[in-house]
Amino acid sequence: MRFPPVSLSLKDGRPCLIREATSEDGLALFELERAVVQAREGLVKLPDELPADAVAFTARREAAGLHRQDGTAFPLVAAAPGGALLGEASFLRPSYRMLRHGGVLGLGVHPEAQGLGVGRALMHHLLAWLRAHRDPNGGRVHRVELQVRADNPRAQALYRSFGFVLEGTRRDFLRTEEGAWVDDLL
């Protein structure tokens, strides 16, 4: 089941289009990822850990399966007029049949678009798409997982507002460049 594009207005009145991501979005997704990583909030990677260019970035996404159209990947983007990406959300299911009822959700919003409803819109539409999806054998997504840093209360509040609950904590999961230990919430 393909995702039908949705037009909406952000909190500041700007138009936005929520649509399915494609492999042609490689450069824009790379630029979005770079902006999010450089903002240094909520992620686990550093700017020098990004792929060298959009080609390598797109190849990494494709190797992860984020452009599959077989019901294992559900990638969405929030696009501004002109094509700049304000955010992206994705859900990736494992290929193993015993685990296929679940998967992992990822979300990223451009620092300049945070607080405008981009993340909430992406979450809403991605979760609706997952609820509506049926595999050829009738299977569906039953479990959506995500991870969030313990020092990211804004993201935690968003996820709780959609019904996500804390199932576990990985203590001292990451260490910041400043040497602080940060838990990872599951």
Side-chain angles (χ1 to χ4, degrees), residues 4-17:
V6 177
S7 295
L8 55 93
S9 293
L10 300 177
K11 288 181 182 178
D12 66 357
R14 280 191 284 171
C16 176
L17 180 70

Side-chain angles (χ1 to χ4, degrees), residues 76-161:
L76 292 181
V77 294
L85 296 186
L86 304 173
E88 66 95 13
S90 60
F91 181 77
L92 191 59
R93 297 166 79 183
S95 59
Y96 301 114
R97 288 190 308 272
M98 291 195 312
L99 301 175
R100 194 164 163 84
H101 64 280
V104 178
L105 184 146
L107 177 70
V109 176
H110 195 288
E112 294 175 8
Q114 291 180 3
L116 298 178
V118 172
R120 181 166 300 282
L122 284 165
M123 287 284 294
H124 170 78
H125 291 290
L126 181 59
L127 293 173
W129 189 18
L130 294 175
R131 281 190 292 275
H133 174 79
R134 293 296 177 270
D135 294 329
N137 67 357
R140 64 182 187 85
V141 174
H142 175 73
R143 180 178 174 80
V144 177
E145 300 176 359
L146 55 83
Q147 299 167 222
V148 62
R149 286 174 52 157
D151 62 355
N152 191 349
R154 191 176 194 173
Q156 291 173 48
L158 174 66
Y159 301 146
R160 278 194 307 274
S161 76

Side-chain angles (χ1 to χ4, degrees), residues 25-34 45 50-63 67 88:
D25 289 316
L27 177 58
L29 282 163
F30 177 63
E31 291 172 355
L32 172 65
E33 179 88 354
R34 192 167 46 194
K45 59 182 114 169
L50 286 170
D53 55 35
V55 172
F57 177 81
T58 301
R60 187 179 290 180
R61 281 183 62 90
E62 288 178 1
H67 293 299
E88 66 95 13

Side-chain angles (χ1 to χ4, degrees), residues 34 37-38 40 44-52 60 177:
R34 192 167 46 194
V37 170
Q38 288 174 345
R40 312 270 295 123
V44 298
K45 59 182 114 169
L46 299 170
D48 65 349
E49 296 172 323
L50 286 170
R60 187 179 290 180
E177 284 183 298

